[in-house]
Amino acid sequence: MKKKPSDATINVRGTEITVIRRQDEDYISLTDIAKSRNPAHPDDLIRNWLRNRNTLELLGIWEHLHNPGFNPVEFDGIKKQAGLNSFTLTPKQWVEQTNAIGIVSKAGRYGGTYAHT
């Protein structure tokens, strides 16, 4: 993933991971992390991670603690479906449906999925 000149990087076990600033908060690139495991399809790895009930419970707790605009009703509906074979969720859907702020999904040249640090 190309980074903007204003973005920082950290090196984790030989892998460069982008860290962006958004509204004075740091977000780490989940896409860069996923690329270290699946270079051809990091988005698949992130979507599979979001299907996991434990992942969603962690994200929900974080949002409840840090986001007064979080939509708990939508979250409960998502959490009930988590783990089912038919359940899929993209980072963009998570953000749009729950009004989440802990995950950022960006399209385009400097796009990717980022998580609050």
Side-chain angles (χ1 to χ4, degrees), residues 19-90:
V19 178
I20 63 170
R21 295 284 290 170
R22 185 173 189 198
Q23 298 175 351
D24 292 327
E25 301 287 338
D26 288 334
Y27 289 78
I28 191 166
S29 174
L30 297 180
T31 303
D32 287 349
I33 295 168
K35 278 184 181 179
S36 72
R37 302 291 253 158
N38 187 349
H41 299 286
D43 53 330
D44 289 344
L45 195 61
I46 293 169
R47 279 196 306 273
N48 284 335
W49 176 70
L50 281 173
R51 292 182 68 211
N52 185 295
R53 180 179 297 277
N54 293 330
T55 298
L56 291 173
E57 287 177 354
L58 171 67
L59 294 175
I61 290 168
W62 189 95
E63 294 292 343
H64 277 293
L65 293 173
H66 300 283
N67 180 3
F70 184 61
N71 186 335
V73 175
E74 285 292 327
F75 170 64
D76 286 342
I78 291 170
K79 192 168 69 168
K80 285 181 184 175
Q81 294 178 37
L84 297 175
N85 288 337
S86 61
F87 177 69
T88 61
L89 184 68
T90 66

Side-chain angles (χ1 to χ4, degrees), residues 1-4 7 9 16-20 28-35 39 42 46 104 106 108-114:
M1 170 181 303
K2 293 183 180 183
K3 69 180 194 88
K4 290 192 288 188
D7 293 342
T9 59
E16 291 293 317
I17 309 294
T18 304
V19 178
I20 63 170
I28 191 166
S29 174
L30 297 180
T31 303
D32 287 349
I33 295 168
K35 278 184 181 179
I46 293 169
V104 174
K106 295 170 53 173
R109 183 175 180 185
Y110 302 111
T113 300
Y114 300 82

